[in-house]
Amino acid sequence: MSEPIAEKEAGSAQGDSPTEQDPISPTVEKKKREYKDFGHEETKATHANVDMSQIELKAEDLYDKEKVDLENIVIEDVFKLLQCDENGLDDQEATRRLEIFGPNKLESEEQNAFLQFLGFMWNPLSWVMEGAALVAIVLSNGEHRPPDWEDFVGIILLLFVNSAIGFYEERNAGNAVKALMDSLAPKAKVRRGGTWREVDSAELVPGDMISFKIGDIVPADCRLTEAINVSIDQAALTGESLPQGKKSGDQCFSGSTCKQGEAEGVVISTGPNTFFGRAAGLVGQDDDTTGHLQKILAQIGSFCLVSIGIFVIAEILVLYAGFRYNYRRGLDNILVLLIGGIPIAMPTVLSVTLAVGAQQLAKHKAIVTRITAIEELAGVTILCSDKTGTLTTNKLTIDRTTVKTYGPFSAEDVILLAAYASRTENQDAIDQCVVGALGDVGRARAGIKLLDFKPFNPVDKRTEITYREESSGKLKRVTKGMTGMVIELCSRNKTEELENKLEADVEEFAMRGLRALAVAYEELDGEDPEGEGNGFELIGLLAIFDPPREDTKQTIDDALALGVKVKMVTGDQLAIAKETGRRLGLGDHMYPAKVLKEGPAPGTKHASLDEMIMDADGFAGVFPEHKYEIVKRLQGLGHLCAMTGDGANDAPALSRANVGIAVEGATDAARGAADIVLTEPGLSTIVHAIRGSRVIFQRMRNYSIYACAVTIRIVVCFAILAFAFKFDFPPFMVLVIALLNDGTIMTLSVDRVLPSMTPDSWDLSEIFAYAVAYGLWLTASTVALVAIILKTTFFQDKFHVSLSGNWPYPTHANDPQLHAIVYLQVAVISQALIFVTRSHGLFFMERPSYALLGAFVVAQVISTIIAAYGNWGFTGLHAIEGGWIGIVWIWNIIWFIPLDWIKFAMKATVIKRLRDRHQQAAMQEIKQGASGVPLTRTQSRVASIHESLYSNRVSFIRRAARKVGFGQKIRMNPAELQRFSSIQAQQTGQVLARHPSRVAGA
């Protein structure tokens, strides 16, 4: 014991002697004070509302809470209802009940692998390509020509590559229901026929007698019949930050962990009927089984299909009815539109973009288990965060700034004495936080000799140590525990004034969500450690709380700066939630979970529950159903919602949210339900993930504009050429163009772009407007070139070139060399378009990645070689001389330059009108009293800079990319690419087809 403490203890002993009570004076009976220690209100046991003589052991009756509340009725009624006793069931009865109630596990469905594979070929884009394959192999027969095997094989290869990637990813995914099931205790100790044995937890049935001890996972929901110093950690189920002491008659939840003591209990519910099982059941209730990106892809696909359909019908009418084409010639023209117009590689290209993005996020310790979540994270407007273990450390701490003292001892002295009265081994959560407050654990026993220690128990609700102080040789005693119990022991300084102050301090702690821990001290006169002391003296009151993580406040500020509103959704009590909100600067405008059922009170400022949810900073005391409902309502208001959590209680909301984020240390259940799993403590990774997802979103948006523009370019261009010149382009060369384009465009996954500063959102009207403008301009470039070659001698006269050795005119519109010219012109300028769609200003002011530049150069070299040497009969192509190649390149450069001007003109006219219309619609919703906030139209950080400020743009991008943490070289091996691959539509009902083992193996 330190000298200052020893002196204060001696002074206290001399100056404060217990007041003797006058035996003559009448005894004044004082009312016992009720200290508002922070804790749960106990629910009084009731009786079952059924005729106990007419009991039938049926699941529908046992779990009907209007008749029977097995969780709260008296324990005697539990045994009567379950028709069992403390000796347990016999094997025959257990088998019978297993048939009635089912196994104590969560069911999961196994998918047929073959049907799952075929499912990836079941979407509109694939249907058209499958139709084109049938046309090539079945309908393309007759007229003394073989089936179109080349086109058929090429199309089938494209389909199988895409389907194989999608199948591989989903097959490896597993599902969250299995993760929830695996987190149940695999074995359980049960009494059968009066004998204790160990069985699989899946074999437990209602009525079984079970036992568990420290370290065990509770295998099923049960009511305790015996409890010896039991403390249960159920934070992963209910979100409560403190382990809960349990006594005989209390309920324990399946999946919770025994932190202290040992207990026996009777099983009241198993499998899907447990608290844990009901949470798992909510996971599968997501009625929005189609992901956000899948919906966007479906709309983009519909745009392409409608465009193709219009011109296919036009060709059928014009070529067959108008030009009287023969059967095979007309089919070849239709195949050109089908093969060239369908962006069949769109899912694959976007999946590569998302996969590389997932690699980048992994560098920031965020493992992506559903890669489509990256796109949705970019558009998230609200982040709902669990508190315990997410915003806070889930580690109890002494709040040094609020320690109350009632005597000559300082706050540090009170903490040291409280540490004396704590275990240093086999600690519970309270002892651990008190001893931890010393910094050096060794101080808890330094300078003293332990003589006797009484650990915490549910009856006394305090700990007590008797020790000898080595410096003075005196025997002393310290106790710490529940305020009401400790103050009853204090005879030396307990006065009306002190009790009033103590009551006010405890109430202040409770209002702030802090748990009060009283500390008292006394000295012993003799040498007997079990002897009476000179009376306890109250010396201090400690405040215990679950502190916020160090980086949480900064993370919340960063999220708000990115346009993402943060709401706390916790299972802990309202006072704790408000205190945490105040400490984080999140706000304390929070509500208890009951308002979600009752709605806003009459006369309040909120007209509806939706309005209240939008206005609230958070909700407290929520159960899984509440978290799920909050997320669902926010989504109903038009918001993309992210949810963070770490426990099984968070799993339903994690699955329902657009982006579920499991924090570091999360349970398997939470990781299985989540889309992104953080692998280091804190939420700072989320800010990196949001920025990274917005970079990836910009890349996907750029590609979408490009893909739609190419569709318009191909179908309109070749339809016009067929109508105007009866030009028949070989279908196989369109397939080659598509392959080279897609190979180049895949490098967009590492392109240099900057994230937007507001949530991203898909504005398809803008994408389609840009696509139509670019597509028609490129169509004009090709039609003009063909018209000049066929109708004039301009190129022949100026550059002395010819076609097929005939000068000055080609023999016909379908000269094989003219096919080569058109192929080269279409291939080169179509790929060059990406440099315009990827930039917001002039294309040369925003430097692309080296990968994109390199792939573009390689593709153009290949295209040029094919044009120069491609004498393949089945392709309908014949090599052209160098003069024509030069003409095509110069022609493309001339037509490429105005594309930037078209982009600026579109922004100033069509796009501006579209955005104004969206803004007016949003403002109209607000005027009409619609809840929520208008979503700002997204633009990248580059686009947000005025377009005239082009000076030093490249260096600005480089500096900003370094600051954000992007721009480094990304290397991916094939295994990693497959691991994060396909983003094709998931099977209906498989909302949580993700397996946490993929995270563990990352």
Side-chain angles (χ1 to χ4, degrees), residues 303 704-713 765-777 833 837 906:
F303 171 82
S704 299
I705 295 174
Y706 171 82
C708 293
V710 168
T711 293
I712 296 295
R713 188 260 196 286
S765 57
E766 287 187 16
I767 290 175
F768 298 154
Y770 278 125
V772 170
Y774 295 146
L776 293 180
W777 177 257
L833 175 64
T837 63
M906 289 290 293

PDB file of all heavy atoms in Angstrom, residues 303 704-713 765-777 833 837 906:
ATOM      1  N   PHE A 303     -32.299  -1.947 -72.808  1.00  0.00           N
ATOM      2  CA  PHE A 303     -32.027  -0.888 -73.792  1.00  0.00           C
ATOM      3  C   PHE A 303     -31.363  -1.477 -75.035  1.00  0.00           C
ATOM      4  O   PHE A 303     -31.753  -1.168 -76.178  1.00  0.00           O
ATOM      5  CB  PHE A 303     -31.120   0.176 -73.157  1.00  0.00           C
ATOM      6  CG  PHE A 303     -30.598   1.201 -74.124  1.00  0.00           C
ATOM      7  CD1 PHE A 303     -31.379   2.290 -74.489  1.00  0.00           C
ATOM      8  CD2 PHE A 303     -29.326   1.082 -74.676  1.00  0.00           C
ATOM      9  CE1 PHE A 303     -30.910   3.235 -75.386  1.00  0.00           C
ATOM     10  CE2 PHE A 303     -28.838   2.023 -75.572  1.00  0.00           C
ATOM     11  CZ  PHE A 303     -29.643   3.107 -75.922  1.00  0.00           C
ATOM     12  N   SER A 704     -20.374   1.266 -68.992  1.00  0.00           N
ATOM     13  CA  SER A 704     -21.784   1.162 -69.387  1.00  0.00           C
ATOM     14  C   SER A 704     -22.101   2.108 -70.531  1.00  0.00           C
ATOM     15  O   SER A 704     -22.807   1.736 -71.476  1.00  0.00           O
ATOM     16  CB  SER A 704     -22.686   1.460 -68.187  1.00  0.00           C
ATOM     17  OG  SER A 704     -22.464   0.523 -67.156  1.00  0.00           O
ATOM     18  N   ILE A 705     -21.595   3.332 -70.437  1.00  0.00           N
ATOM     19  CA  ILE A 705     -21.798   4.275 -71.549  1.00  0.00           C
ATOM     20  C   ILE A 705     -21.173   3.717 -72.814  1.00  0.00           C
ATOM     21  O   ILE A 705     -21.773   3.741 -73.895  1.00  0.00           O
ATOM     22  CB  ILE A 705     -21.188   5.652 -71.209  1.00  0.00           C
ATOM     23  CG1 ILE A 705     -21.928   6.277 -70.025  1.00  0.00           C
ATOM     24  CG2 ILE A 705     -21.233   6.579 -72.412  1.00  0.00           C
ATOM     25  CD1 ILE A 705     -21.306   7.570 -69.534  1.00  0.00           C
ATOM     26  N   TYR A 706     -19.969   3.190 -72.673  1.00  0.00           N
ATOM     27  CA  TYR A 706     -19.260   2.644 -73.831  1.00  0.00           C
ATOM     28  C   TYR A 706     -20.026   1.465 -74.447  1.00  0.00           C
ATOM     29  O   TYR A 706     -20.210   1.400 -75.677  1.00  0.00           O
ATOM     30  CB  TYR A 706     -17.867   2.189 -73.408  1.00  0.00           C
ATOM     31  CG  TYR A 706     -17.137   1.416 -74.470  1.00  0.00           C
ATOM     32  CD1 TYR A 706     -16.473   2.059 -75.500  1.00  0.00           C
ATOM     33  CD2 TYR A 706     -17.127   0.024 -74.454  1.00  0.00           C
ATOM     34  CE1 TYR A 706     -15.811   1.345 -76.484  1.00  0.00           C
ATOM     35  CE2 TYR A 706     -16.468  -0.702 -75.427  1.00  0.00           C
ATOM     36  CZ  TYR A 706     -15.810  -0.043 -76.446  1.00  0.00           C
ATOM     37  OH  TYR A 706     -15.174  -0.746 -77.422  1.00  0.00           O
ATOM     38  N   ALA A 707     -20.475   0.523 -73.601  1.00  0.00           N
ATOM     39  CA  ALA A 707     -21.155  -0.670 -74.115  1.00  0.00           C
ATOM     40  C   ALA A 707     -22.437  -0.301 -74.855  1.00  0.00           C
ATOM     41  O   ALA A 707     -22.731  -0.845 -75.926  1.00  0.00           O
ATOM     42  CB  ALA A 707     -21.457  -1.628 -72.965  1.00  0.00           C
ATOM     43  N   CYS A 708     -23.223   0.614 -74.280  1.00  0.00           N
ATOM     44  CA  CYS A 708     -24.469   1.028 -74.937  1.00  0.00           C
ATOM     45  C   CYS A 708     -24.174   1.767 -76.241  1.00  0.00           C
ATOM     46  O   CYS A 708     -24.891   1.603 -77.241  1.00  0.00           O
ATOM     47  CB  CYS A 708     -25.290   1.903 -73.998  1.00  0.00           C
ATOM     48  SG  CYS A 708     -25.931   1.028 -72.551  1.00  0.00           S
ATOM     49  N   ALA A 709     -23.122   2.576 -76.247  1.00  0.00           N
ATOM     50  CA  ALA A 709     -22.756   3.319 -77.462  1.00  0.00           C
ATOM     51  C   ALA A 709     -22.340   2.362 -78.566  1.00  0.00           C
ATOM     52  O   ALA A 709     -22.701   2.557 -79.735  1.00  0.00           O
ATOM     53  CB  ALA A 709     -21.633   4.303 -77.159  1.00  0.00           C
ATOM     54  N   VAL A 710     -21.593   1.325 -78.210  1.00  0.00           N
ATOM     55  CA  VAL A 710     -21.160   0.350 -79.220  1.00  0.00           C
ATOM     56  C   VAL A 710     -22.359  -0.413 -79.771  1.00  0.00           C
ATOM     57  O   VAL A 710     -22.418  -0.727 -80.964  1.00  0.00           O
ATOM     58  CB  VAL A 710     -20.111  -0.609 -78.611  1.00  0.00           C
ATOM     59  CG1 VAL A 710     -19.872  -1.795 -79.540  1.00  0.00           C
ATOM     60  CG2 VAL A 710     -18.803   0.136 -78.368  1.00  0.00           C
ATOM     61  N   THR A 711     -23.326  -0.724 -78.920  1.00  0.00           N
ATOM     62  CA  THR A 711     -24.541  -1.390 -79.406  1.00  0.00           C
ATOM     63  C   THR A 711     -25.244  -0.530 -80.458  1.00  0.00           C
ATOM     64  O   THR A 711     -25.595  -1.025 -81.547  1.00  0.00           O
ATOM     65  CB  THR A 711     -25.501  -1.671 -78.231  1.00  0.00           C
ATOM     66  OG1 THR A 711     -24.916  -2.636 -77.369  1.00  0.00           O
ATOM     67  CG2 THR A 711     -26.838  -2.195 -78.741  1.00  0.00           C
ATOM     68  N   ILE A 712     -25.456   0.748 -80.142  1.00  0.00           N
ATOM     69  CA  ILE A 712     -26.074   1.656 -81.109  1.00  0.00           C
ATOM     70  C   ILE A 712     -25.226   1.752 -82.360  1.00  0.00           C
ATOM     71  O   ILE A 712     -25.738   1.713 -83.492  1.00  0.00           O
ATOM     72  CB  ILE A 712     -26.252   3.059 -80.477  1.00  0.00           C
ATOM     73  CG1 ILE A 712     -27.228   2.996 -79.289  1.00  0.00           C
ATOM     74  CG2 ILE A 712     -26.719   4.070 -81.514  1.00  0.00           C
ATOM     75  CD1 ILE A 712     -28.637   2.638 -79.676  1.00  0.00           C
ATOM     76  N   ARG A 713     -23.932   1.849 -82.167  1.00  0.00           N
ATOM     77  CA  ARG A 713     -23.010   1.996 -83.296  1.00  0.00           C
ATOM     78  C   ARG A 713     -23.081   0.798 -84.250  1.00  0.00           C
ATOM     79  O   ARG A 713     -23.125   0.954 -85.465  1.00  0.00           O
ATOM     80  CB  ARG A 713     -21.602   2.157 -82.711  1.00  0.00           C
ATOM     81  CG  ARG A 713     -20.545   2.501 -83.719  1.00  0.00           C
ATOM     82  CD  ARG A 713     -19.710   1.317 -84.162  1.00  0.00           C
ATOM     83  NE  ARG A 713     -18.512   1.771 -84.811  1.00  0.00           N
ATOM     84  CZ  ARG A 713     -18.443   2.292 -86.013  1.00  0.00           C
ATOM     85  NH1 ARG A 713     -19.551   2.460 -86.724  1.00  0.00           N
ATOM     86  NH2 ARG A 713     -17.297   2.649 -86.545  1.00  0.00           N
ATOM     87  N   SER A 765     -30.891   7.450 -67.798  1.00  0.00           N
ATOM     88  CA  SER A 765     -31.260   8.357 -68.890  1.00  0.00           C
ATOM     89  C   SER A 765     -30.030   9.098 -69.402  1.00  0.00           C
ATOM     90  O   SER A 765     -29.886   9.319 -70.612  1.00  0.00           O
ATOM     91  CB  SER A 765     -32.326   9.344 -68.423  1.00  0.00           C
ATOM     92  OG  SER A 765     -31.878  10.079 -67.302  1.00  0.00           O
ATOM     93  N   GLU A 766     -29.112   9.466 -68.504  1.00  0.00           N
ATOM     94  CA  GLU A 766     -27.870  10.110 -68.928  1.00  0.00           C
ATOM     95  C   GLU A 766     -27.012   9.139 -69.726  1.00  0.00           C
ATOM     96  O   GLU A 766     -26.448   9.502 -70.768  1.00  0.00           O
ATOM     97  CB  GLU A 766     -27.087  10.613 -67.717  1.00  0.00           C
ATOM     98  CG  GLU A 766     -27.672  11.831 -67.045  1.00  0.00           C
ATOM     99  CD  GLU A 766     -26.749  12.376 -65.957  1.00  0.00           C
ATOM    100  OE1 GLU A 766     -25.555  11.996 -65.963  1.00  0.00           O
ATOM    101  OE2 GLU A 766     -27.211  13.174 -65.130  1.00  0.00           O
ATOM    102  N   ILE A 767     -26.888   7.918 -69.212  1.00  0.00           N
ATOM    103  CA  ILE A 767     -26.062   6.917 -69.895  1.00  0.00           C
ATOM    104  C   ILE A 767     -26.581   6.657 -71.300  1.00  0.00           C
ATOM    105  O   ILE A 767     -25.818   6.638 -72.279  1.00  0.00           O
ATOM    106  CB  ILE A 767     -26.032   5.612 -69.067  1.00  0.00           C
ATOM    107  CG1 ILE A 767     -25.225   5.840 -67.781  1.00  0.00           C
ATOM    108  CG2 ILE A 767     -25.449   4.459 -69.871  1.00  0.00           C
ATOM    109  CD1 ILE A 767     -25.228   4.661 -66.825  1.00  0.00           C
ATOM    110  N   PHE A 768     -27.892   6.496 -71.433  1.00  0.00           N
ATOM    111  CA  PHE A 768     -28.462   6.214 -72.752  1.00  0.00           C
ATOM    112  C   PHE A 768     -28.351   7.415 -73.682  1.00  0.00           C
ATOM    113  O   PHE A 768     -28.140   7.256 -74.890  1.00  0.00           O
ATOM    114  CB  PHE A 768     -29.933   5.791 -72.606  1.00  0.00           C
ATOM    115  CG  PHE A 768     -30.122   4.520 -71.807  1.00  0.00           C
ATOM    116  CD1 PHE A 768     -31.310   4.277 -71.127  1.00  0.00           C
ATOM    117  CD2 PHE A 768     -29.118   3.564 -71.739  1.00  0.00           C
ATOM    118  CE1 PHE A 768     -31.484   3.117 -70.389  1.00  0.00           C
ATOM    119  CE2 PHE A 768     -29.287   2.400 -71.001  1.00  0.00           C
ATOM    120  CZ  PHE A 768     -30.477   2.179 -70.328  1.00  0.00           C
ATOM    121  N   ALA A 769     -28.471   8.616 -73.122  1.00  0.00           N
ATOM    122  CA  ALA A 769     -28.355   9.825 -73.953  1.00  0.00           C
ATOM    123  C   ALA A 769     -26.953   9.936 -74.533  1.00  0.00           C
ATOM    124  O   ALA A 769     -26.772  10.202 -75.734  1.00  0.00           O
ATOM    125  CB  ALA A 769     -28.704  11.064 -73.132  1.00  0.00           C
ATOM    126  N   TYR A 770     -25.943   9.768 -73.674  1.00  0.00           N
ATOM    127  CA  TYR A 770     -24.566   9.789 -74.165  1.00  0.00           C
ATOM    128  C   TYR A 770     -24.352   8.691 -75.212  1.00  0.00           C
ATOM    129  O   TYR A 770     -23.717   8.912 -76.249  1.00  0.00           O
ATOM    130  CB  TYR A 770     -23.590   9.571 -73.006  1.00  0.00           C
ATOM    131  CG  TYR A 770     -23.271  10.802 -72.197  1.00  0.00           C
ATOM    132  CD1 TYR A 770     -23.467  10.817 -70.819  1.00  0.00           C
ATOM    133  CD2 TYR A 770     -22.740  11.942 -72.798  1.00  0.00           C
ATOM    134  CE1 TYR A 770     -23.163  11.940 -70.057  1.00  0.00           C
ATOM    135  CE2 TYR A 770     -22.435  13.068 -72.044  1.00  0.00           C
ATOM    136  CZ  TYR A 770     -22.643  13.068 -70.671  1.00  0.00           C
ATOM    137  OH  TYR A 770     -22.343  14.179 -69.938  1.00  0.00           O
ATOM    138  N   ALA A 771     -24.875   7.487 -74.916  1.00  0.00           N
ATOM    139  CA  ALA A 771     -24.652   6.349 -75.808  1.00  0.00           C
ATOM    140  C   ALA A 771     -25.234   6.604 -77.194  1.00  0.00           C
ATOM    141  O   ALA A 771     -24.598   6.311 -78.219  1.00  0.00           O
ATOM    142  CB  ALA A 771     -25.275   5.088 -75.197  1.00  0.00           C
ATOM    143  N   VAL A 772     -26.434   7.150 -77.253  1.00  0.00           N
ATOM    144  CA  VAL A 772     -27.064   7.424 -78.544  1.00  0.00           C
ATOM    145  C   VAL A 772     -26.250   8.460 -79.326  1.00  0.00           C
ATOM    146  O   VAL A 772     -26.000   8.309 -80.535  1.00  0.00           O
ATOM    147  CB  VAL A 772     -28.513   7.907 -78.342  1.00  0.00           C
ATOM    148  CG1 VAL A 772     -29.099   8.427 -79.651  1.00  0.00           C
ATOM    149  CG2 VAL A 772     -29.378   6.772 -77.802  1.00  0.00           C
ATOM    150  N   ALA A 773     -25.801   9.505 -78.640  1.00  0.00           N
ATOM    151  CA  ALA A 773     -25.037  10.559 -79.316  1.00  0.00           C
ATOM    152  C   ALA A 773     -23.730  10.015 -79.873  1.00  0.00           C
ATOM    153  O   ALA A 773     -23.393  10.241 -81.058  1.00  0.00           O
ATOM    154  CB  ALA A 773     -24.766  11.704 -78.344  1.00  0.00           C
ATOM    155  N   TYR A 774     -22.979   9.282 -79.036  1.00  0.00           N
ATOM    156  CA  TYR A 774     -21.711   8.726 -79.505  1.00  0.00           C
ATOM    157  C   TYR A 774     -21.941   7.688 -80.609  1.00  0.00           C
ATOM    158  O   TYR A 774     -21.211   7.651 -81.615  1.00  0.00           O
ATOM    159  CB  TYR A 774     -20.965   8.050 -78.347  1.00  0.00           C
ATOM    160  CG  TYR A 774     -20.521   8.983 -77.251  1.00  0.00           C
ATOM    161  CD1 TYR A 774     -20.491   8.551 -75.917  1.00  0.00           C
ATOM    162  CD2 TYR A 774     -20.119  10.290 -77.514  1.00  0.00           C
ATOM    163  CE1 TYR A 774     -20.080   9.398 -74.897  1.00  0.00           C
ATOM    164  CE2 TYR A 774     -19.704  11.141 -76.492  1.00  0.00           C
ATOM    165  CZ  TYR A 774     -19.699  10.689 -75.194  1.00  0.00           C
ATOM    166  OH  TYR A 774     -19.290  11.516 -74.178  1.00  0.00           O
ATOM    167  N   GLY A 775     -22.954   6.822 -80.404  1.00  0.00           N
ATOM    168  CA  GLY A 775     -23.200   5.761 -81.379  1.00  0.00           C
ATOM    169  C   GLY A 775     -23.567   6.294 -82.750  1.00  0.00           C
ATOM    170  O   GLY A 775     -23.089   5.787 -83.776  1.00  0.00           O
ATOM    171  N   LEU A 776     -24.410   7.317 -82.780  1.00  0.00           N
ATOM    172  CA  LEU A 776     -24.803   7.891 -84.077  1.00  0.00           C
ATOM    173  C   LEU A 776     -23.629   8.589 -84.751  1.00  0.00           C
ATOM    174  O   LEU A 776     -23.483   8.538 -85.986  1.00  0.00           O
ATOM    175  CB  LEU A 776     -25.968   8.869 -83.875  1.00  0.00           C
ATOM    176  CG  LEU A 776     -27.298   8.234 -83.423  1.00  0.00           C
ATOM    177  CD1 LEU A 776     -28.365   9.300 -83.248  1.00  0.00           C
ATOM    178  CD2 LEU A 776     -27.765   7.168 -84.434  1.00  0.00           C
ATOM    179  N   TRP A 777     -22.777   9.235 -83.984  1.00  0.00           N
ATOM    180  CA  TRP A 777     -21.599   9.900 -84.578  1.00  0.00           C
ATOM    181  C   TRP A 777     -20.653   8.867 -85.197  1.00  0.00           C
ATOM    182  O   TRP A 777     -20.170   9.048 -86.317  1.00  0.00           O
ATOM    183  CB  TRP A 777     -20.869  10.717 -83.520  1.00  0.00           C
ATOM    184  CG  TRP A 777     -19.615  11.388 -84.017  1.00  0.00           C
ATOM    185  CD1 TRP A 777     -18.339  11.010 -83.813  1.00  0.00           C
ATOM    186  CD2 TRP A 777     -19.551  12.560 -84.846  1.00  0.00           C
ATOM    187  NE1 TRP A 777     -17.457  11.858 -84.431  1.00  0.00           N
ATOM    188  CE2 TRP A 777     -18.188  12.834 -85.081  1.00  0.00           C
ATOM    189  CE3 TRP A 777     -20.510  13.404 -85.406  1.00  0.00           C
ATOM    190  CZ2 TRP A 777     -17.750  13.914 -85.861  1.00  0.00           C
ATOM    191  CZ3 TRP A 777     -20.081  14.485 -86.175  1.00  0.00           C
ATOM    192  CH2 TRP A 777     -18.719  14.731 -86.388  1.00  0.00           C
ATOM    193  N   LEU A 833     -13.206   5.069 -78.511  1.00  0.00           N
ATOM    194  CA  LEU A 833     -14.304   5.755 -77.826  1.00  0.00           C
ATOM    195  C   LEU A 833     -14.155   5.712 -76.310  1.00  0.00           C
ATOM    196  O   LEU A 833     -14.588   6.629 -75.607  1.00  0.00           O
ATOM    197  CB  LEU A 833     -15.637   5.115 -78.241  1.00  0.00           C
ATOM    198  CG  LEU A 833     -16.897   5.630 -77.532  1.00  0.00           C
ATOM    199  CD1 LEU A 833     -17.122   7.104 -77.862  1.00  0.00           C
ATOM    200  CD2 LEU A 833     -18.107   4.796 -77.933  1.00  0.00           C
ATOM    201  N   THR A 837     -15.394   8.318 -73.126  1.00  0.00           N
ATOM    202  CA  THR A 837     -16.391   7.999 -72.103  1.00  0.00           C
ATOM    203  C   THR A 837     -15.777   7.970 -70.699  1.00  0.00           C
ATOM    204  O   THR A 837     -16.484   8.195 -69.715  1.00  0.00           O
ATOM    205  CB  THR A 837     -17.055   6.637 -72.381  1.00  0.00           C
ATOM    206  OG1 THR A 837     -16.073   5.598 -72.320  1.00  0.00           O
ATOM    207  CG2 THR A 837     -17.712   6.622 -73.746  1.00  0.00           C
ATOM    208  N   MET A 906     -23.597  17.776 -75.164  1.00  0.00           N
ATOM    209  CA  MET A 906     -24.604  16.997 -74.457  1.00  0.00           C
ATOM    210  C   MET A 906     -24.761  17.478 -73.015  1.00  0.00           C
ATOM    211  O   MET A 906     -25.881  17.604 -72.499  1.00  0.00           O
ATOM    212  CB  MET A 906     -24.215  15.512 -74.465  1.00  0.00           C
ATOM    213  CG  MET A 906     -24.343  14.839 -75.819  1.00  0.00           C
ATOM    214  SD  MET A 906     -26.064  14.640 -76.312  1.00  0.00           S
ATOM    215  CE  MET A 906     -26.617  13.456 -75.104  1.00  0.00           C
TER     216      MET A 906
END
